[in-house]
Amino acid sequence: MEESAILLIACPDRVGIIKEIAGFIADNDGNIMHLDQHIDRQANTFLARVEWDISGFRIPKERIKEEFSRIAERFSMNFSLRFSNCTPKVALFVSKQDHCFYDIMHRFKSGELKGKVKLVISNHEDLKPISDFFGVPFFHIPKTKENKESAEERELKLLREHDIDLIILARYMQILSPRFVHEYPNRIINIHHSFLPAFPGAKPYHRAYKKGVKIIGATSHYVTEELDQGPIIEQDIIRVSHRDTLEDFIRKGKDIEKIVLARAVRWHLENKILVYDNKTVVFT
Amino acid sequence: MEESAILLIACPDRVGIIKEIAGFIADNDGNIMHLDQHIDRQANTFLARVEWDISGFRIPKERIKEEFSRIAERFSMNFSLRFSNCTPKVALFVSKQDHCFYDIMHRFKSGELKGKVKLVISNHEDLKPISDFFGVPFFHIPKTKENKESAEERELKLLREHDIDLIILARYMQILSPRFVHEYPNRIINIHHSFLPAFPGAKPYHRAYKKGVKIIGATSHYVTEELDQGPIIEQDIIRVSHRDTLEDFIRKGKDIEKIVLARAVRWHLENKILVYDNKTVVFT
Amino acid sequence: MEESAILLIACPDRVGIIKEIAGFIADNDGNIMHLDQHIDRQANTFLARVEWDISGFRIPKERIKEEFSRIAERFSMNFSLRFSNCTPKVALFVSKQDHCFYDIMHRFKSGELKGKVKLVISNHEDLKPISDFFGVPFFHIPKTKENKESAEERELKLLREHDIDLIILARYMQILSPRFVHEYPNRIINIHHSFLPAFPGAKPYHRAYKKGVKIIGATSHYVTEELDQGPIIEQDIIRVSHRDTLEDFIRKGKDIEKIVLARAVRWHLENKILVYDNKTVVFT
Amino acid sequence: MEESAILLIACPDRVGIIKEIAGFIADNDGNIMHLDQHIDRQANTFLARVEWDISGFRIPKERIKEEFSRIAERFSMNFSLRFSNCTPKVALFVSKQDHCFYDIMHRFKSGELKGKVKLVISNHEDLKPISDFFGVPFFHIPKTKENKESAEERELKLLREHDIDLIILARYMQILSPRFVHEYPNRIINIHHSFLPAFPGAKPYHRAYKKGVKIIGATSHYVTEELDQGPIIEQDIIRVSHRDTLEDFIRKGKDIEKIVLARAVRWHLENKILVYDNKTVVFT
């Protein structure tokens, strides 16, 4: 399979941006495979994702970023460049619940998700056997109110050592400090077990049950300083009825959590998500 | 088609309740067509809906309620009795938006909803032609801060004169006073254009758009004193993306509003909804 | 609101197509509002939809097609050009069922669908009052085995006289002849009341009921010679259970039929549908 | 948690059936927890599921079946009796694909599914490591045209030795012989990767892709002699678009397959499925 380059671009809108991008690619013998462009009319902002075949591209892979920067500057672009053949390095954070953990590990193992899980960090030891089965190093870092700062220091050290690109909170029941979050902007994906903005914070299924909703949901989002307020990446829902107990809410919700988290991770790894005004543009 | 009687029952749970109900019906030659029973284990509450064929029932229709009351008392039941052949009298409240109004009028006219729309009340004159087309009297009762009390008095007078059983707020943009609500407990159905409890109150689509949600919804509920906090009857959702403008949110939402309102009205008219602890049990 | 031009393009893929299109637009001071491009890798086919603001475009509206043809020829493009401000002329075909008819008429009337319903043709007189209410001429053209050819001749004559761009079969229960279909290729949209390819042809709800499916659906598609085999535009579904009678299947299905038909019509009118290999590419 | 008994009943409808059942339960101090009853009007058939608390039930567990048989005979009932605390013995059949296998094993392990997986049978060795991880014996029984009969004999021997109650075909790519199927009527659950009755048989995703459908699905059903024609238990769907390749269809479908299979297994194990006229009544 050929290799491709993927550009995500945001900039003030004006005439001729696509001409310039498409020219840069065609003039160097690249063939565009996907181009998806969108204008936010209110903000007059140009948003696009371009993917092109770089087998035979005249600019060597390692110099594409530099060469494109000249165009980027001219149009005041924010852009990110990635290559389809690269393998992002991933860290998973888990606590005691294993459904998202199993699910995401299996997706990486089967090749459905393109990336390499380098390590698993948990505040409990319960899920170590699963980590072992999948052959991924497991680090047990307990957290208490007292040791939170030093525990995070250990975590950050591990993440840096492994050169982690993406952190997945697979039902990790701890809140990360602002300092931690700032080190990985738009690179920490959390799954929250409610249909946000309904029921942020603790025990969303309990509150949904008490409220008598007819549908429950799950939301994957990038982690920001404010709890459960980061840019939403994906949501999905499932019906419940009066016949469902609180335990049924929790059980049914798990299936949605797994899927909603996996989609977000997939889109992130495929460089399909552009964060913008605390919202996401997902080029699917 | 035969006529049936429908009982909705809530009472403290104990051994033998269904035996008693089924005995009452069978001993009088009634044949149960549907029986759906549920126990709320936390509250130890018995909840049921029973529908039986009353052609050939030995107790005359008009005396069933009285006869059943003896059982009801013994088990401290709250119950309501309705007959499939009765035709509830309905009032619609509308403002300027016509999508729910059209939709619900058509469903009544086609016989999909069993009931008789006796009158339409609106604080604007815009929708009178639609009312005329469907042959339903239209009452224009403008509302201002100053005249709200007297306007409601006029409305209540009309509702009483027409012996209204059910009030449908089909995107009626006015808040009803507690006094009004109290006169029709669990008999006023509203459609709110968000997935409650997210975005109660004004302009939910605007807020959903700003928040960057990936799914929008609509919620039908009984009106209580607290705005958009009444027992939820039904909810449904539709996907949105970054390509959808605020206008698209509003347009897509309309389809959901129509369906979610129609389902709630249908279930109410079929005596399928039991209100309980500010939640609904919907026997579908 | 500004006016835009919309190009739908299909051609053999090769390097530089977008550069050429974007160049054509930018060099004439047009600003691209949406560009959505896709490659069918198996067939090596380039597919795209481009929409750009033509206020201030240097080429007059009436000459854009001609000017663009030079590029089109060079790349062996099939393309269609439309303008956002034009108002397509629409004909509706109906029989006795009114739910899709009401729904689609209301969407045109409210401006949700951009187009002008010029006439309604029916093999029955039943729905004339609705046509009258919406102020659209209604033509009653009965059809029997014997008169089918002459009836279609009358229909075609009316369609030509009114210069119809799009024909909507809103639950029209007659099969159109190949000759008729050929005159309006990819310009006749039908709603079929099943999840195709399951249950093509007559009485799909009856067959779905007998089969015991747990979900029913509806499918909108362009009409081709083969019954219910044309390119699928949109599908949607709704859950059913053993509690649903055949009548419930039919009733529930109606809500889906309305929505699925309306979406197809909308996308067609917005020039978002490209037909290709008996499939559709819908640029949403 | 208390133990309950669950009755599934089908019989000709007549007056007094529930009275009799509820009487049997109440007179022996049993408390009904769920009663869900339905009449098939066309066939005049009574269908019900009753679950009651048997802690304190006056009839010992092992004699309930016999005692109830007297009522059953009088009403010509087909019935099955199960107890909530029993642990059905389950066999899994798999081939090379692991997504459903992982998923279902995890659900059993976590206690979400109540049952004991006694053995895994496969015509390939690929999935043995997963079986090992979950601590379940794995039997590799290769199948060719020539050895099919003897291979099935070995399988049946294993199933009998382990006293298997339920067989799950978790993407087992072999067709079972009628003889095999007859030995486990309504006790073999298959997952088919299409929205039946569309695309029965081989390569449904390929055919769905070629057809250009906008939604794909999965169907769980009991296995009967006719391929993919057994009673449907559950179905679900997911959207696809022109952007999805065949590989995307397959990937997206997996998530639906897992969920649809798991729901069917769950309902079977909870004694919620009544098979009737080659259809299922699922008392959820």
Side-chain angles (χ1 to χ4, degrees), chain C residues 29-193:
Chain C
D29 289 345
N31 191 29
I32 294 177
M33 296 155 64
H34 295 290
L35 194 162
D36 194 347
Q37 176 260 10
H38 178 67
I39 306 290
D40 181 327
R41 311 299 299 265
Q42 274 184 294
N44 196 40
T45 298
F46 172 99
L47 305 156
R49 181 181 187 275
V50 199
E51 180 166 5
W52 75 96
D53 187 345
I54 57 168
S55 54
F57 200 54
R58 287 210 223 136
I59 306 173
K61 204 171 146 179
E62 56 283 0
R63 281 194 34 231
I64 296 176
K65 189 168 184 178
E66 192 192 330
E67 295 279 327
F68 186 74
S69 294
R70 275 179 277 165
I71 292 171
E73 267 166 49
R74 198 146 26 98
F75 289 89
S76 310
M77 288 176 181
N78 283 317
F79 79 96
S80 75
L81 176 70
R82 249 204 63 208
F83 298 97
S84 63
N85 282 5
C86 84
T87 303
K89 296 182 208 62
V90 177
L92 283 180
F93 279 58
V94 299
S95 286
K96 290 189 166 184
Q97 294 212 48
D98 63 2
H99 58 285
C100 284
F101 184 35
Y102 256 113
D103 186 78
I104 211 95
M105 291 302 289
H106 178 247
R107 289 177 199 263
F108 275 108
K109 192 192 167 204
S110 70
E112 181 189 314
L113 294 174
K114 305 265 180 265
K116 171 81 184 160
V117 182
K118 303 291 281 188
L119 75 163
V120 174
I121 291 176
S122 180
N123 54 333
H124 295 286
E125 287 188 291
D126 307 53
L127 305 188
K128 188 170 185 306
I130 302 172
S131 221
D132 292 349
F133 173 63
F134 286 102
V136 175
F138 181 93
F139 297 89
H140 176 216
I141 304 183
K143 266 186 184 167
T144 61
K145 264 185 203 162
E146 291 68 34
N147 82 347
K148 186 168 175 178
E149 203 170 336
S150 65
E152 279 200 349
E153 207 45 75
R154 281 186 61 199
E155 289 163 2
L156 286 167
K157 193 159 172 289
L158 279 167
L159 297 172
R160 287 179 209 123
E161 281 170 11
H162 287 83
D163 198 18
I164 292 302
D165 297 299
L166 172 66
I167 297 164
I168 302 169
L169 309 185
R171 297 298 308 273
Y172 182 61
M173 308 306 279
Q174 299 289 318
I175 297 170
L176 301 175
S177 73
R179 187 185 53 136
F180 191 116
V181 172
H182 283 163
E183 196 156 333
Y184 291 91
N186 297 331
R187 288 163 69 196
I188 310 173
I189 295 177
N190 184 43
I191 178 72
H192 182 72
H193 40 314

Side-chain angles (χ1 to χ4, degrees), chain C residues 36 38 195 197 199 209-212 214-215 229 232-236 239 242-243 279-282, chain D residues 36 38 195 197 199 209 211-212 214-215 229 232-236 239 242-243 279-282:
Chain C
D36 194 347
H38 178 67
F195 188 84
F199 311 121
Y209 182 76
K210 194 173 156 43
K211 176 69 187 171
K214 300 301 184 184
I215 288 174
Q229 298 297 321
I232 293 171
I233 303 170
E234 171 65 339
Q235 307 189 285
D236 214 334
R239 288 206 164 262
H242 66 276
R243 293 195 166 276
K279 303 202 283 191
T280 61
V281 171
V282 182
Chain D
D36 194 348
H38 178 67
F195 188 82
F199 311 121
Y209 182 76
K211 176 69 187 170
K214 299 302 184 186
I215 288 175
Q229 298 296 321
I232 293 171
I233 303 170
E234 172 65 341
Q235 308 189 285
D236 215 333
R239 288 206 164 262
H242 67 277
R243 294 194 166 275
K279 303 201 284 192
T280 61
V281 171
V282 182

Side-chain angles (χ1 to χ4, degrees), chain D residues 216-281:
Chain D
I216 55 172
T219 305
S220 52
H221 62 91
Y222 285 118
V223 175
T224 57
E225 276 191 49
E226 269 191 280
L227 185 65
D228 298 332
Q229 298 296 321
I232 293 171
I233 303 170
E234 172 65 341
Q235 308 189 285
D236 215 333
I237 57 96
I238 192 165
R239 288 206 164 262
V240 289
S241 82
H242 67 277
R243 294 194 166 275
D244 289 305
T245 62
L246 173 57
E247 287 67 40
D248 293 322
F249 274 50
I250 292 170
R251 174 180 53 79
K252 286 185 164 186
K254 284 178 182 175
D255 280 344
I256 301 302
E257 294 167 31
K258 291 188 280 190
I259 285 175
V260 167
L261 177 58
R263 282 189 202 139
V265 170
R266 180 181 176 83
W267 293 334
H268 179 95
L269 294 173
E270 293 180 343
N271 220 23
K272 287 189 167 163
I273 311 175
L274 204 154
V275 176
Y276 170 67
D277 194 19
N278 205 41
K279 303 201 284 192
T280 61
V281 171

